[in-house]
Amino acid sequence: MHNIDLDIMELTLDVMKYAIGRITNTHPPLGFPMKEDELLAAVGETITPKGIGGERAFKLFRETLINASVSIDHPRHLAFVPASPTRAAVMFDLVTSASSVHGAFWLEGAGCIFAENQAMKWLVALTGLPAGAFGVFTSGGTAANLSAMVAAREAWRAKDPSKRSTRGLILAAISAHSSVRSMAKVIDADIVSVPTEDKFEAAQLRSALDGLSPGDRERLFAVIATGGTTNAGIIDDLDGIGKICRNEGIWYHVDAAYGGGALASRRARKLFHGIDLADSITIDPHKWLFSPYDCGAVIYRDPELARVAHAQEGSYLDIFSDPGAKGFNPADYQIQLTRRVRGLPLWFSLAMHGTERYEKAINRGIELAQIAGNLVRRSPHTQLVRDPSLSCVLFRRIGWTADNYRDWTYQNHKSGYALVAPTKVRQHAETETVARFCFISPDTTEDDIAGVLETMK
Ligand SMILES: *Cc1c(COP(=O)(O)O)cnc(C)c1O
């Protein structure tokens, strides 16, 4: 299997050719999902005792499978949180795979982890956290949030060993990302929700704290605020909430998985005032820092607390903590052991382009949201639901029902023109289906936005 023969060489060239073509293609096909039975009919069973051969498998991929998958970096993919990895980062993702480096321990991955950490150092500096703060790249925001929550809970229990078997409690707004609730389930913690879909304010935290029973107050180990809600780009009162947490000695986590990239913009950074009060922060480079999937990050004010919570022990792992192998072990700071050096594509792209290019690209995303806001205001059939925030725009097509939005989404997607999806907003106790743009790609143009609005007429 590992002998290099001519077939493999030829196939490697074909695959590289494909990769180069895709990396340099600024308008890849949008892609549309097929049903599973349709895919099976088109592709057949591909896993056989003798194998179907690389040429055939690759042909099936190129001609069928990839076209039934969405190109998330298409400039008119404006749904959910799109992505727009730089060409440099995608290229280096290939290099990262080809290099076969284990990214869990310094002993095995020193050089690559060093590079990853240089990118991390830049990211940490953007947060304004004090010296000593550091972080690690994770598979995404969910894993980062989970890693932070575990570190928070373990630190809380360490302070008072009588809480070793006490079920913990987290306070977060209902606007917090679904992964917060979901990861609370994983660690069997309760969540008390502050009922705001809009900006989570310090006064609301104050009254939520005052409303806790003494027993629940004892169980509270973390408060989570959001630095850019995924739905609307709303940044919570990070400073006010942070000050309360500091005063009360509660672990403060800021989930900036989507919005955190905007810290690289000096103009936008002001909006995150108070993020430096956090004990932990989540930022997804695969969202707004132009990294390929999958790349999240969790940053800790005091990484030692994370190490105590996460470092795994086992006889075959002992060597990794031996002084001879000493260094930063990414495995010690998040939930995963074996990991690819997933910060390496970001490192290469940052090293190649410099941080100013990143700032420019992020400012462009914010600018596109403002441009879209103006187009929505000007067009007689559309209306803003709220002012654009970060790179998110929520707007309504006057007179449309939820079904209209759904049909419109499918129509644009099926035709290969655009993927723009509806969302729901709750205002004044009413839930409304509305349309939403989220801009990441700096290649999206004003014409793209106008074109999409045109399809709503
Ligand atoms: C996307 C997102 C997450 C989840 O991140 P994944 O990378 O999808 O796991 C968590 N929080 C916020 C605010 C997000 O936008």
Side-chain angles (χ1 to χ4, degrees):
M1 209 171 165
H2 278 93
N3 291 336
I4 296 176
D5 53 37
L6 266 172
D7 282 358
I8 286 289
M9 284 310 290
E10 214 167 286
L11 194 60
T12 305
L13 287 176
D14 281 352
V15 168
M16 286 301 159
K17 230 174 7 193
Y18 170 88
I20 292 166
R22 178 61 178 83
I23 290 169
T24 51
N25 186 355
T26 52
H27 284 73
L30 184 56
F32 192 84
M34 289 164 72
K35 298 262 185 276
E36 192 181 351
D37 55 348
E38 294 169 342
L39 282 168
L40 186 60
V43 170
E45 294 295 350
T46 52
I47 306 305
T48 65
K50 302 252 181 275
I52 61 170
E55 205 179 316
R56 167 118 186 96
F58 193 38
K59 192 168 145 79
L60 292 173
F61 173 82
R62 275 191 331 256
E63 292 179 359
T64 307
L65 301 175
I66 192 60
N67 298 318
S69 311
V70 169
S71 300
I72 193 96
D73 57 342
H74 188 288
R76 282 185 302 276
H77 181 311
L78 304 171
F80 323 115
V81 178
S84 178
T86 66
R87 293 187 184 98
V90 176
M91 263 190 306
F92 222 72
D93 204 50
L94 302 180
V95 173
T96 302
S97 289
S99 303
S100 288
V101 173
H102 193 283
F105 299 106
W106 189 262
L107 172 67
E108 296 201 285
C112 293
I113 294 168
F114 171 84
E116 223 187 16
N117 284 354
Q118 293 228 309
M120 181 56 74
K121 209 159 79 181
W122 172 70
L123 204 55
V124 174
L126 295 180
T127 66
L129 283 173
F134 209 62
V136 63
F137 292 102
T138 63
S139 62
T142 304
N145 283 342
L146 175 58
S147 299
M149 283 152 83
V150 171
R153 189 199 53 200
E154 293 304 292
W156 165 73
R157 283 184 175 158
K159 270 195 280 189
D160 179 359
S162 76
K163 288 181 174 151
R164 269 242 290 282
S165 52
T166 305
R167 188 186 166 99
L169 187 147
I170 295 170
L171 222 152
I174 42 171
S175 53
H177 188 263
S178 55
S179 63
V180 166
R181 224 157 296 274
S182 196
M183 292 306 102
K185 236 186 277 173
V186 170
I187 64 167
D188 205 21
D190 292 317
I191 291 232
V192 167
S193 287
V194 175
T196 177
E197 289 274 7
D198 218 292
K199 187 170 174 170
F200 176 19
E201 307 269 7
Q204 292 164 317
L205 173 60
R206 189 70 268 163
S207 69
L209 287 172
D210 293 344
L212 290 178
S213 69
D216 280 354
R217 180 64 188 82
E218 282 288 298
R219 297 199 296 126
L220 177 70
F221 70 90
V223 167
I224 300 182
T226 308
T229 59
T230 321
N231 203 32
I234 297 166
I235 300 168
D236 292 339
D237 176 9
L238 301 183
D239 190 54
I241 294 171
K243 281 182 177 138
I244 295 176
C245 291
R246 290 249 81 92
N247 282 338
E248 305 261 337
I250 308 165
W251 185 290
Y252 180 34
H253 178 65
V254 176
D255 180 3
Y258 150 65
L263 290 167
S265 155
R266 276 164 287 191
R267 244 183 287 155
R269 202 180 301 160
K270 294 195 273 293
L271 304 170
F272 295 81
H273 177 60
I275 195 170
D276 57 336
L277 297 171
D279 292 289
S280 53
I281 300 172
T282 290
I283 299 175
D284 266 357
H286 66 207
K287 280 184 176 158
W288 212 357
L289 286 171
F290 314 105
S291 284
Y293 298 132
D294 38 24
C295 186
V298 58
I299 297 169
Y300 303 97
R301 168 180 294 271
D302 181 357
E304 181 55 20
L305 296 175
R307 202 191 58 76
V308 170
H310 289 290
Q312 299 189 22
E313 281 171 27
S315 39
Y316 86 99
L317 300 177
D318 279 353
I319 181 76
F320 294 118
S321 44
D322 187 77
K326 221 172 154 53
F328 181 85
N329 294 329
D332 290 348
Y333 300 91
Q334 39 81 46
I335 57 165
Q336 190 175 3
L337 189 68
T338 299
R339 65 186 277 283
R340 63 193 265 105
V341 202
R342 58 165 55 82
L344 218 45
L346 174 65
W347 165 75
F348 183 77
S349 181
L350 272 169
M352 175 175 165
H353 293 303
T355 57
E356 284 174 9
R357 278 282 288 278
Y358 276 71
E359 178 168 24
K360 240 175 110 176
I362 285 155
N363 281 336
R364 179 64 184 161
I366 296 169
E367 187 182 33
L368 284 167
Q370 294 299 329
I371 290 170
N374 287 335
L375 290 174
V376 166
R377 276 190 204 102
R378 256 189 267 143
S379 139
H381 58 286
T382 56
Q383 210 172 46
L384 281 179
V385 173
R386 60 194 319 284
D387 283 338
S389 191
L390 291 177
S391 68
C392 288
V393 187
L394 296 179
F395 61 103
R396 61 175 68 86
R397 162 67 168 81
I398 295 161
W400 271 15
T401 63
D403 286 352
N404 292 134
Y405 286 104
R406 189 202 49 212
D407 295 347
W408 164 74
T409 295
Y410 283 142
Q411 218 160 34
N412 278 336
H413 190 186
K414 225 172 202 157
S415 71
Y417 178 64
L419 179 49
V420 187
T423 187
K424 288 195 177 102
V425 286
R426 236 181 115 71
Q427 283 180 332
H428 319 296
E430 299 242 2
T431 303
E432 182 188 357
T433 299
V434 301
R436 172 177 170 278
F437 288 137
C438 180
F439 298 100
I440 298 286
S441 171
D443 294 333
T444 303
T445 63
E446 180 162 350
D447 282 350
D448 287 329
I449 302 167
V452 171
L453 292 176
E454 193 69 23
T455 63
M456 293 183 120
K457 277 201 168 149

